[in-house]
Amino acid sequence: MNYNSFNTPVSLRQMKITDVFWKKEMELVRNEVIPYQWEALNDRVEGASPSFCMRNFKIAGKMNQEKAQKGDKYVEPQYSFRGFEALPEDPNHLEEKFYGFVFQDSDFSKWIEAVGYSLTQHPDPALEKIADEAIDIVCGAQQEDGYLDTYYIINGKDKIFSNLRDHHELYCFGHLTEGAVAYYEATGKDKLLEAAKRFANYIYNYFGEEEEKCKGYPGHEIAEMALVRLYEVTGNRKYLDLSSFFIEQRGTKPYYFDSENHPDQTRKEENHLKYSYHQAHLPVREQKEAVGHAVRAVYLYSGMADLARLNEDKSMYEACESLWEDMVEKKMYITGGIGSTHMGEAFSFAFDLPNDTAYAETCASIGLVFFARRMLEIKPKAKYADVMERALYNGVLSGMALDGKSFFYVNPLEVNPIACYKDERKHHVKPIRQKWFGCACCPPNLARLLSSIGSYAFTESEKTLFVHLYMGACLTKKIGNQDIEVTIQSKFPWEGHVAISVRAKDTDFELALRIPGWCNGYQISDLEQFEIRKEDGYLYLKKNWLEEEHIQISFQMEPVLVAARTEVRETVGKVALMRGPIVYCLEEVDNGKDLHLLSVEATKSITLIDKKIEHESVKAITAFGKRTLKTEENGLYQPFKEKQSKEVCLTYVPYYVWANRGENEMQVWTRVE
Amino acid sequence: MNYNSFNTPVSLRQMKITDVFWKKEMELVRNEVIPYQWEALNDRVEGASPSFCMRNFKIAGKMNQEKAQKGDKYVEPQYSFRGFEALPEDPNHLEEKFYGFVFQDSDFSKWIEAVGYSLTQHPDPALEKIADEAIDIVCGAQQEDGYLDTYYIINGKDKIFSNLRDHHELYCFGHLTEGAVAYYEATGKDKLLEAAKRFANYIYNYFGEEEEKCKGYPGHEIAEMALVRLYEVTGNRKYLDLSSFFIEQRGTKPYYFDSENHPDQTRKEENHLKYSYHQAHLPVREQKEAVGHAVRAVYLYSGMADLARLNEDKSMYEACESLWEDMVEKKMYITGGIGSTHMGEAFSFAFDLPNDTAYAETCASIGLVFFARRMLEIKPKAKYADVMERALYNGVLSGMALDGKSFFYVNPLEVNPIACYKDERKHHVKPIRQKWFGCACCPPNLARLLSSIGSYAFTESEKTLFVHLYMGACLTKKIGNQDIEVTIQSKFPWEGHVAISVRAKDTDFELALRIPGWCNGYQISDLEQFEIRKEDGYLYLKKNWLEEEHIQISFQMEPVLVAARTEVRETVGKVALMRGPIVYCLEEVDNGKDLHLLSVEATKSITLIDKKIEHESVKAITAFGKRTLKTEENGLYQPFKEKQSKEVCLTYVPYYVWANRGENEMQVWTRVE
């Protein structure tokens, strides 16, 4: 481990994203998702089932006030602990109690996190005022002792931390902390950060190695990485220690979750998902295979990578590397989708990557991006950035419609709409994006990722700026006492040209450029003027910088037919089409019904064309293909005749834009002639 | 409708099956299945969970005696109605109550039915004695009023017929009746038949069109066809009327099942399977598509076909025809498997025939055979017999191991064993046959079908003997007062030669021979001597019969590569191999691992070879094929290179013998070059 290579994200306040492609996504989040989400948090979206999120905080706050006023005379109300409190039959007569999922608090936290990031790129006093008021409401619910989870505040605090496996308290804490740090870093306002710290202190006093402390850990991971962020922003080592405790404790025997009394005892003891679903089947350093609920898994691995870096922990990094390799070499779709089965929203076994029943949750690809960026922070290897880029341009972006108004949880690689309605095995697959979800996980997760996208593109160490993704941006960086400036212009992902200007005179600034794995060749202007080092797919450039230097880069970006390893049964005899980081697919709207009857001719030419999908200008691709002629004879089964087909022109569009032109068939993998 | 063509099965007592192929299956049933099943019914199979079947009958009988002794002082015990009463923790301390599934009584009925058929072909006084004693026990449980279902006799008769949807009372009655008729026809003993009649009378008085009677119908069909058999053996028209009532009542509004109070209210109202699962979504004459639980469906359709024939009901026949066409032209595997989804063990939508997640329950193929035979009885069309034959030689027989000791419920067309263990979506698929099942449906159903196989091969009308399946047998038939004799010798399914001798001098006997749909040409000796008529795929032969006539037939039986309609997405670009009625498959044991990497060369020669699988002599087939070479590069996704493959010899074995040589991969559909 070369600790000198450690690097961390460039602060969003040190950059302005100017990229055409990503700026548009950020603006969608700012203009569509964040306002919509605020309405949703306040139960004001017509036709959508209420969130109850802000309502729960208000009720908890009101209970706090009553308690303060009545003192000893205050009697805690008694409610049930059912994990999900549904709307009563008459929605106009709500009781003063908790409604919604146990993790409903996190909806606010994800929103405030996205708001924070957005404010760094686009100051908006009106939005900031709404956010401040929301923070007041949330902080009003916090208990004197620091505890802050409305489900238990409202239902009775005697039960707190009694069901870590299922009840998401530590998950809500994690999101609260992520949101608080983001908002503090964006605005400098620390009210929510202070609340998160007080809750973190409470948790620190409750859990830990000391004999009297609870030995539990989160059922749904995220607190691990959130505590690291809290440590990094506060410098208080105990938050790092608590994260370490949660991570090291996980999967040790006797299994902590077995000591809990779970109201739902229907989960079968024999169920092999029982522990692995939570990545709690083995101590984390012994885990070599990515298993269980995919989102939880990558959240855990992200926390592990954080610890590996901060504790300079070689064996933890090796554990992360094993899990990484298992995941990206055996269990990842070409789109960067992970978690191929809807049973437990989980990883399936190695190379089991069915296209039509895929789960590939948007949040899981987002978590994969988290993990990848953290692996890059430890050691900048292009292989991590390649996967991060793959997920971002494909399996993540496909989660949101081009108008930012509807969303996919599940990102299949092949869809026949009729199957989504008529085949119960595919009920999780939707042929068209949905407005919003009762369980609001993917849309707000997209919002927080997209509005902080710059921190995935660029990281820095003392003297080096790492460009992981070629995203248009203006960045500043301190080298000693000097401010240097780097400006990047790019038309990624549609063109491979990048222009970089550097103002770093009289510094020993180093520019580290990723050479994408998909790129067969590249040119850099005046390369001979630099002192060059190439390592792990990065090109490190140094020189005596003049006042302003201009660098031109051109990455080859040809359409390429791609095959999966022969172990992947579902894609044998089939190919996908990629160009640069973009995975392409066929849609019915361009290619007619029955996409399964199409094949692509590998030896013939492939042409790039410009196409508008809604208002999105994309590069589409046309290729020679064949369409198997339909059966003419009667009879479900007939003697095979020499293949009958006709020549057709196949039109491929980027995977992330699919299902923006109505409900239709789609497929990524097509038979090859 | 040509009512003159109606025909009915030749009685098993009028035939001796001599066929090498089927006799062996019947002997397995007689020597293995029936004795094993008797042990199972009496909870004497080590390692298997107890059936409780005979025990339940005994307890019910004992309660009857106590009641008779105590008269008015008798107090009914109170037990629960949970649908399934599992073994208590200590199996040595059973209470005197009902244990097992609600339909446990039917285990006896299926057994006695198989015993009856078996006795016609192989008299066995010892077995008959056991059967008679079992009948005594069962009849001892019957109530004075005729009611006979131990679940309600033991748990409290006030609840009878209160949950027709789920509780299988009428299903148990149906099986009891089928068993009683079979045993009566085999032995002439009518004790069980009388019990069935008394129960039928009870049901007749309970259900019907009259205002005061219950308007319900069976949740799991079978009573419909059983009542027809009872009518045919007794001549009592009311049993036919009751069958008509059940069938016509089904699916009418308001839905009867909605009027029941079901303890399990978790079934969602929106669930589209709610009514169609039971084929109760529409009145049967309006049903055009095969839907819902596949076994229930074909049992219903069999009853409908019986009624169409006996009531000379044209529109009912048309409804049967619509359902038949929908099922066999859109929803049937090449093996004769039906019900392609495990969700509800049900039909999926048209052309949705996935190979690796198939359900294709053995019992559903058996039910398809029932339905096909009944359609043949109405109108002898070769298309019905083609499907019947396809199911029998493939999807039915695959249900039983070659030693008769283990069984498949689920008959997939593609298996990768690791997926059965590691992928929860395929947990219903087993890579190896199982010993016996808690829910003993398929093995005893196989036993009753195989031991009565002759009644599917041969039916008769007044002067005509129909040969639907070319099965070695000696048959007698009355023409007027005269006994004629027909002897058939065949080496089906391995050779297409059939020798038939007829002793029908001085009669106007007619022989009707099915020309199999798979047959491209045939020869019949001295065909010119006959008066010939060809209709619906049958060749009707008449002549002035001499004392003994010999007819030689030779059906062409070439290996043929078969394709499915282009609508079947899962088989596009793939072919299966058939020869005669036999569907072939590739197994790992012959072809190595990773069957998905194999392809077959359509233009090259295909060779028949002799092969022994266990003790079974079969015709195997070798063909030229290619094996895609394994990926050498690292990386899950790589630029596509021209296909790299090597020539291999593919060895195909009959589908029904798969999984008899240990756990291994199997596939029916292979990519074609």
Side-chain angles (χ1 to χ4, degrees):
Chain A
M1 238 169 163
N2 175 7
Y3 304 119
N4 298 328
S5 70
F6 286 167
N7 60 93
T8 50
V10 174
S11 160
L12 294 176
R13 298 178 74 171
Q14 279 169 247
M15 70 172 90
K16 280 289 161 210
I17 301 295
T18 56
D19 192 75
V20 174
F21 187 89
W22 289 106
K23 188 72 187 172
K24 176 198 66 213
E25 301 291 340
M26 293 166 75
E27 287 293 287
L28 275 183
V29 169
R30 189 173 71 81
N31 292 316
E32 296 293 335
V33 185
I34 288 176
Y36 186 94
Q37 198 177 351
W38 177 243
E39 296 305 298
L41 291 178
N42 287 283
D43 314 333
R44 292 191 295 247
V45 176
E46 215 164 315
S49 52
S51 148
F52 300 111
C53 176
M54 295 311 294
R55 187 179 190 277
N56 289 334
F57 280 114
K58 287 178 198 161
I59 290 173
K62 198 174 153 209
M63 286 169 61
N64 270 358
Q65 285 170 3
E66 284 170 12
K67 202 169 174 178
Q69 283 163 10
K70 297 196 181 169
D72 287 349
K73 284 179 290 179
Y74 180 76
V75 182
E76 296 243 351
Q78 292 298 314
Y79 296 114
S80 67
F81 285 88
R82 285 190 288 184
F84 174 71
E85 209 53 56
L87 200 60
E89 282 193 16
D90 179 356
N92 295 320
H93 289 89
L94 295 176
E95 291 178 63
E96 290 239 319
K97 66 178 197 179
F98 182 94
Y99 283 109
F101 289 101
V102 284
F103 46 79
Q104 219 70 38
D105 286 5
S106 65
D107 283 8
F108 157 78
S109 306
K110 291 177 203 164
W111 176 79
I112 200 75
E113 188 179 346
V115 168
Y117 299 140
S118 181
L119 291 175
T120 67
Q121 300 299 305
H122 194 284
D124 180 342
L127 177 60
E128 196 168 326
K129 184 162 176 283
I130 292 172
D132 287 338
E133 287 166 6
I135 288 171
D136 289 341
I137 293 168
V138 169
C139 291
Q142 189 163 36
Q143 305 290 285
E144 247 178 83
D145 57 14
Y147 185 84
L148 180 45
D149 183 298
T150 67
Y151 180 70
Y152 285 95
I153 292 173
I154 295 173
N155 285 335
K157 275 185 64 191
D158 54 315
K159 292 280 201 315
I160 62 167
F161 301 133
S162 63
N163 187 351
L164 294 176
R165 194 189 70 182
D166 306 327
H167 273 189
H168 290 67
E169 271 165 297
L170 293 171
Y171 169 86
C172 287
F173 157 73
H175 269 301
L176 180 77
T177 301
E178 297 245 20
V181 171
Y183 197 75
Y184 168 73
E185 289 184 334
T187 63
K189 294 178 183 169
D190 68 354
K191 180 166 184 176
L192 193 62
L193 183 69
E194 286 303 316
K197 277 162 65 181
R198 288 176 60 211
F199 194 10
N201 296 342
Y202 183 95
I203 293 168
Y204 179 83
N205 292 331
Y206 197 100
F207 294 90
E209 274 164 22
E210 295 84 346
E211 205 179 331
E212 71 285 4
K213 287 188 177 176
C214 175
K215 298 292 173 290
Y217 43 85
H220 191 316
E221 300 93 327
I222 191 177
E224 298 82 351
M225 56 175 161
L227 282 162
V228 170
R229 288 188 77 178
L230 195 58
Y231 159 68
E232 294 194 300
V233 79
T234 63
N236 189 336
R237 175 98 206 167
K238 73 181 188 182
Y239 302 132
L240 188 63
D241 292 343
L242 181 55
S243 175
S244 279
F245 170 77
F246 282 150
I247 284 177
E248 301 288 2
Q249 191 62 19
R250 191 165 212 91
T252 56
K253 288 185 184 176
Y255 295 115
Y256 178 79
F257 296 146
D258 283 349
S259 73
E260 296 188 330
N261 187 15
H262 298 120
D264 169 20
Q265 289 299 355
T266 58
R267 201 193 284 196
K268 278 177 285 174
E269 292 303 302
E270 298 75 16
N271 190 327
H272 74 277
L273 281 177
K274 191 185 175 197
Y275 302 111
S276 59
Y277 174 81
H278 304 274
Q279 299 75 45
H281 56 302
L282 281 173
V284 299
R285 288 169 200 273
E286 294 169 30
Q287 295 187 23
K288 305 288 176 215
E289 293 182 19
V291 296
H293 188 269
V295 174
R296 296 176 199 228
V298 279
Y299 281 16
L300 169 67
Y301 307 157
S302 297
M304 287 166 64
D306 279 336
L307 285 193
R309 173 174 54 87
L310 289 167
N311 295 333
E312 301 188 357
D313 182 336
K314 188 155 176 277
S315 82
M316 185 67 87
Y317 176 65
E318 284 164 359
C320 290
E321 257 285 306
S322 295
L323 292 164
W324 174 272
E325 289 295 315
D326 181 66
M327 184 163 53
V328 308
E329 296 296 344
K330 296 179 180 169
K331 296 173 180 169
M332 181 184 71
Y333 287 101
I334 192 169
T335 55
I338 52 171
S340 63
T341 172
H342 67 288
M343 311 281 287
E345 307 178 323
F347 289 105
S348 186
F349 61 96
F351 304 114
D352 184 36
L353 294 162
N355 297 306
D356 57 345
T357 59
Y359 201 73
E361 188 181 336
T362 306
C363 285
S365 289
I366 291 172
L368 178 58
V369 171
F370 296 163
F371 183 29
R373 212 270 318 275
R374 282 161 176 80
M375 292 300 273
L376 282 171
E377 291 178 49
I378 302 173
K379 202 158 177 43
K381 295 184 184 180
K383 69 172 188 176
Y384 302 134
D386 284 342
V387 167
M388 184 169 81
E389 185 186 55
R390 184 189 289 277
L392 280 170
Y393 280 106
N394 302 290
V396 169
L397 272 193
S398 62
M400 185 164 76
L402 291 174
D403 64 3
K405 291 180 177 171
S406 58
F407 303 87
F408 277 137
Y409 268 44
V410 167
N411 296 279
L413 280 80
E414 186 177 311
V415 169
N416 176 19
I418 189 180
C420 304
Y421 300 110
K422 295 210 168 180
D423 182 355
E424 288 199 272
R425 292 165 298 187
K426 291 177 189 157
H427 274 189
H428 60 288
V429 178
K430 305 294 173 202
I432 199 82
R433 291 179 185 79
Q434 312 286 298
K435 281 299 287 178
W436 198 262
F437 293 84
C439 168
C441 95
C442 298
N445 228 349
L446 269 167
R448 69 191 188 114
L449 174 69
L450 294 175
S451 49
S452 61
I453 190 75
S455 63
Y456 297 86
F458 311 111
T459 63
E460 59 183 342
S461 59
E462 196 184 345
K463 289 171 184 161
T464 309
L465 176 75
F466 291 89
V467 180
H468 305 297
L469 305 173
Y470 292 92
M471 190 177 289
C474 305
L475 301 107
T476 58
K477 174 169 171 56
K478 275 244 180 297
I479 309 260
N481 291 327
Q482 229 174 310
D483 282 322
I484 67 134
E485 218 181 281
V486 177
T487 306
I488 297 166
Q489 287 175 283
S490 119
K491 289 184 179 166
F492 262 52
W494 310 125
E495 286 176 26
H497 309 299
V498 181
I500 301 180
S501 66
V502 177
R503 297 175 71 91
K505 194 163 189 286
D506 298 333
T507 69
D508 48 358
F509 171 66
E510 184 184 51
L511 184 65
L513 300 173
R514 163 181 161 249
I515 310 303
W518 46 260
C519 179
N520 265 330
Y522 60 93
Q523 280 189 305
I524 297 183
S525 57
D526 299 324
L527 198 57
E528 63 286 355
Q529 64 178 319
F530 293 102
E531 187 186 321
I532 300 172
R533 180 167 59 93
K534 205 175 160 186
E535 195 180 333
D536 291 329
Y538 282 78
L539 207 62
Y540 293 80
L541 304 181
K542 267 170 131 171
K543 68 171 290 193
N544 286 325
W545 300 95
L546 304 178
E547 185 66 31
E548 177 160 357
E549 302 257 6
H550 295 280
I551 308 168
Q552 288 287 332
I553 318 172
S554 176
F555 295 109
Q556 275 183 31
M557 204 183 255
E558 297 302 320
V560 184
L561 292 177
V562 175
R565 291 189 69 86
T566 48
E567 287 88 340
V568 182
R569 287 173 186 250
E570 290 75 7
T571 57
V572 69
K574 295 180 177 181
V575 290
L577 180 62
M578 289 191 73
R579 179 174 174 267
I582 296 284
V583 175
Y584 283 78
C585 68
L586 299 174
E587 275 197 283
E588 180 185 337
V589 64
D590 301 311
N591 299 283
K593 272 200 174 301
D594 296 323
L595 298 179
H596 65 289
L597 296 181
L598 298 174
S599 57
V600 57
E601 295 183 74
T603 53
K604 295 199 178 163
S605 62
I606 292 178
T607 312
L608 212 59
I609 59 166
D610 291 310
K611 196 170 170 78
K612 276 227 169 193
I613 309 268
E614 295 294 284
H615 299 292
E616 182 95 346
S617 295
V618 304
K619 295 284 180 196
I621 294 173
T622 56
F624 283 93
K626 286 185 177 166
R627 177 177 275 275
T628 305
L629 296 181
K630 284 204 150 194
T631 311
E632 282 176 16
E633 298 86 358
N634 290 325
L636 185 49
Y637 303 105
Q638 288 291 340
F640 170 74
K641 291 184 194 143
E642 191 58 34
K643 286 186 237 176
Q644 308 268 312
S645 58
K646 63 171 181 182
E647 289 279 348
V648 290
C649 171
L650 303 180
T651 302
Y652 282 90
V653 295
Y655 173 75
Y656 81 90
V657 302
W658 93 273
N660 275 286
R661 293 173 291 168
E663 182 177 304
N664 75 160
E665 286 182 44
M666 181 276 291
Q667 80 183 14
V668 170
W669 293 95
T670 298
R671 283 178 299 131
V672 62
E673 292 278 335
Chain B
M1 237 169 164
N2 175 8
Y3 304 120
N4 297 329
S5 71
F6 286 165
N7 60 92
T8 50
V10 174
S11 160
L12 294 174
R13 298 177 75 173
Q14 277 169 248
M15 70 172 88
K16 280 288 161 212
I17 301 295
T18 57
D19 193 76
V20 174
F21 187 89
W22 289 106
K23 188 74 187 170
K24 174 199 67 211
E25 301 292 340
M26 294 166 74
E27 287 293 287
L28 275 183
V29 169
R30 188 173 71 80
N31 292 318
E32 296 294 337
V33 186
I34 289 176
Y36 185 94
Q37 199 177 349
W38 177 242
E39 295 306 297
L41 291 177
N42 287 283
D43 314 333
R44 293 190 295 246
V45 176
E46 216 164 314
S49 52
S51 147
F52 300 112
C53 175
M54 294 311 294
R55 187 179 190 276
N56 290 334
F57 280 114
K58 287 178 197 162
I59 288 172
K62 198 175 153 208
M63 285 169 61
N64 269 357
Q65 285 171 3
E66 284 168 13
K67 201 169 175 177
Q69 283 163 11
K70 295 197 182 169
D72 287 348
K73 284 179 291 177
Y74 180 75
V75 182
E76 295 243 351
Q78 292 299 314
Y79 295 116
S80 67
F81 284 88
R82 286 190 288 183
F84 174 71
E85 209 53 57
L87 200 60
E89 280 193 17
D90 180 356
N92 296 320
H93 288 90
L94 295 176
E95 291 177 63
E96 289 239 317
K97 66 177 196 180
F98 182 94
Y99 283 109
F101 290 101
V102 283
F103 46 78
Q104 219 70 38
D105 286 6
S106 64
D107 283 8
F108 158 78
S109 305
K110 291 177 202 164
W111 177 79
I112 200 78
E113 188 179 344
V115 168
Y117 299 138
S118 180
L119 292 174
T120 67
Q121 300 298 305
H122 193 284
D124 179 342
L127 177 60
E128 195 168 326
K129 185 161 176 285
I130 291 172
D132 287 338
E133 287 166 5
I135 287 169
D136 289 341
I137 292 168
V138 169
C139 293
Q142 189 163 36
Q143 305 291 285
E144 246 179 82
D145 56 14
Y147 185 85
L148 181 45
D149 183 297
T150 67
Y151 180 69
Y152 285 96
I153 293 173
I154 295 172
N155 286 334
K157 275 185 65 193
D158 53 317
K159 293 279 201 314
I160 63 168
F161 302 133
S162 64
N163 187 351
L164 293 177
R165 194 189 69 182
D166 305 326
H167 273 188
H168 289 68
E169 272 165 296
L170 293 171
Y171 169 85
C172 287
F173 157 73
H175 269 301
L176 180 78
T177 302
E178 296 245 20
V181 171
Y183 197 74
Y184 167 73
E185 288 184 335
T187 63
K189 294 178 182 169
D190 68 356
K191 180 166 182 175
L192 193 62
L193 183 68
E194 287 302 317
K197 277 162 65 181
R198 286 176 61 211
F199 194 9
N201 295 341
Y202 182 95
I203 293 168
Y204 179 82
N205 292 330
Y206 196 100
F207 295 90
E209 276 164 23
E210 296 84 346
E211 205 180 330
E212 72 283 4
K213 286 187 177 178
C214 175
K215 298 293 174 288
Y217 42 84
H220 192 315
E221 300 93 326
I222 192 177
E224 298 83 351
M225 57 174 161
L227 282 162
V228 170
R229 288 188 77 176
L230 194 58
Y231 160 68
E232 294 194 300
V233 80
T234 63
N236 190 336
R237 175 96 205 168
K238 72 181 188 181
Y239 302 133
L240 187 63
D241 293 341
L242 180 57
S243 175
S244 279
F245 170 77
F246 282 150
I247 284 177
E248 301 288 2
Q249 191 61 21
R250 188 164 216 93
T252 56
K253 287 185 182 177
Y255 294 116
Y256 179 78
F257 296 147
D258 283 348
S259 72
E260 295 188 330
N261 186 15
H262 299 119
D264 169 18
Q265 290 298 354
T266 58
R267 202 193 284 196
K268 279 177 286 174
E269 293 303 304
E270 299 74 15
N271 191 326
H272 75 277
L273 281 178
K274 192 183 175 199
Y275 304 111
S276 59
Y277 173 81
H278 304 274
Q279 299 76 45
H281 55 304
L282 282 173
V284 299
R285 288 170 200 271
E286 294 169 29
Q287 295 187 21
K288 305 289 176 213
E289 292 181 19
V291 296
H293 188 268
V295 174
R296 295 175 200 228
V298 279
Y299 281 16
L300 169 66
Y301 307 157
S302 298
M304 288 166 64
D306 279 336
L307 286 192
R309 173 174 54 87
L310 289 166
N311 295 333
E312 302 188 356
D313 183 337
K314 189 155 174 280
S315 81
M316 185 67 88
Y317 176 64
E318 284 165 358
C320 290
E321 257 285 305
S322 294
L323 292 164
W324 174 272
E325 289 296 315
D326 181 65
M327 184 163 54
V328 308
E329 295 297 345
K330 296 179 182 170
K331 297 173 180 170
M332 180 183 73
Y333 287 100
I334 193 170
T335 54
I338 51 171
S340 63
T341 172
H342 66 289
M343 311 281 286
E345 307 179 323
F347 289 105
S348 186
F349 61 95
F351 304 115
D352 184 35
L353 293 163
N355 296 307
D356 57 345
T357 58
Y359 201 73
E361 188 181 336
T362 307
C363 286
S365 290
I366 291 172
L368 178 58
V369 170
F370 295 164
F371 183 30
R373 213 271 316 279
R374 282 161 176 82
M375 292 300 273
L376 283 170
E377 291 179 49
I378 303 173
K379 200 155 178 48
K381 295 182 182 179
K383 69 172 189 178
Y384 302 133
D386 284 341
V387 167
M388 183 169 82
E389 184 185 56
R390 184 188 289 277
L392 280 170
Y393 280 107
N394 302 292
V396 169
L397 271 193
S398 61
M400 186 164 76
L402 291 173
D403 64 3
K405 291 181 178 171
S406 58
F407 303 88
F408 277 138
Y409 268 44
V410 168
N411 296 279
L413 279 80
E414 186 177 312
V415 169
N416 176 20
I418 189 180
C420 305
Y421 299 110
K422 295 211 168 178
D423 182 354
E424 285 199 273
R425 293 164 298 187
K426 291 179 188 155
H427 274 187
H428 60 287
V429 178
K430 305 294 173 202
I432 200 81
R433 292 179 184 79
Q434 312 287 297
K435 281 299 286 178
W436 197 262
F437 293 83
C439 168
C441 96
C442 297
N445 227 350
L446 269 167
R448 69 190 187 114
L449 174 70
L450 294 175
S451 50
S452 62
I453 191 75
S455 63
Y456 297 87
F458 311 110
T459 64
E460 60 184 344
S461 59
E462 196 183 346
K463 287 169 186 161
T464 309
L465 176 74
F466 290 89
V467 180
H468 305 297
L469 304 173
Y470 292 92
M471 192 178 288
C474 304
L475 301 107
T476 58
K477 174 171 171 54
K478 275 247 178 296
I479 309 261
N481 291 327
Q482 228 173 310
D483 282 323
I484 68 132
E485 218 181 280
V486 177
T487 305
I488 297 166
Q489 286 175 285
S490 120
K491 288 183 179 166
F492 262 52
W494 310 124
E495 287 176 24
H497 309 298
V498 181
I500 301 180
S501 65
V502 177
R503 299 175 70 91
K505 194 163 188 288
D506 298 333
T507 68
D508 48 1
F509 171 67
E510 183 184 53
L511 184 65
L513 301 173
R514 162 178 163 254
I515 310 302
W518 45 259
C519 179
N520 265 330
Y522 59 91
Q523 281 190 305
I524 297 183
S525 58
D526 299 325
L527 197 59
E528 64 286 356
Q529 65 180 316
F530 292 103
E531 186 186 321
I532 299 173
R533 180 167 60 94
K534 203 174 162 186
E535 196 181 333
D536 291 329
Y538 282 78
L539 206 63
Y540 293 79
L541 303 181
K542 267 168 130 171
K543 68 171 290 191
N544 285 325
W545 301 94
L546 304 177
E547 184 66 34
E548 177 159 356
E549 302 259 6
H550 294 281
I551 308 170
Q552 288 287 332
I553 319 173
S554 176
F555 295 109
Q556 276 183 30
M557 204 181 255
E558 297 302 322
V560 184
L561 292 178
V562 174
R565 290 189 69 86
T566 48
E567 288 89 340
V568 182
R569 286 172 187 251
E570 289 75 7
T571 57
V572 69
K574 296 180 176 180
V575 290
L577 181 62
M578 290 190 72
R579 179 174 174 267
I582 295 285
V583 174
Y584 283 80
C585 68
L586 299 174
E587 275 197 285
E588 179 184 337
V589 63
D590 301 312
N591 299 283
K593 271 200 175 304
D594 296 323
L595 298 179
H596 66 289
L597 296 181
L598 297 174
S599 57
V600 58
E601 295 183 76
T603 52
K604 294 196 178 166
S605 62
I606 292 177
T607 312
L608 214 59
I609 59 166
D610 291 310
K611 194 169 172 78
K612 277 227 169 192
I613 310 269
E614 296 292 285
H615 300 292
E616 183 96 346
S617 294
V618 303
K619 294 284 181 198
I621 293 173
T622 56
F624 283 93
K626 285 186 177 163
R627 176 177 276 275
T628 305
L629 296 181
K630 284 204 152 194
T631 311
E632 280 176 15
E633 298 85 359
N634 290 325
L636 186 48
Y637 304 105
Q638 288 291 340
F640 170 73
K641 291 185 194 141
E642 192 56 34
K643 286 185 237 176
Q644 307 269 311
S645 58
K646 63 171 182 183
E647 289 276 349
V648 290
C649 171
L650 303 180
T651 303
Y652 282 91
V653 296
Y655 173 74
Y656 82 89
V657 302
W658 93 273
N660 275 286
R661 291 172 292 168
E663 183 177 300
N664 75 160
E665 287 181 44
M666 181 276 292
Q667 81 183 14
V668 170
W669 292 96
T670 298
R671 282 179 300 131
V672 62
E673 293 278 336

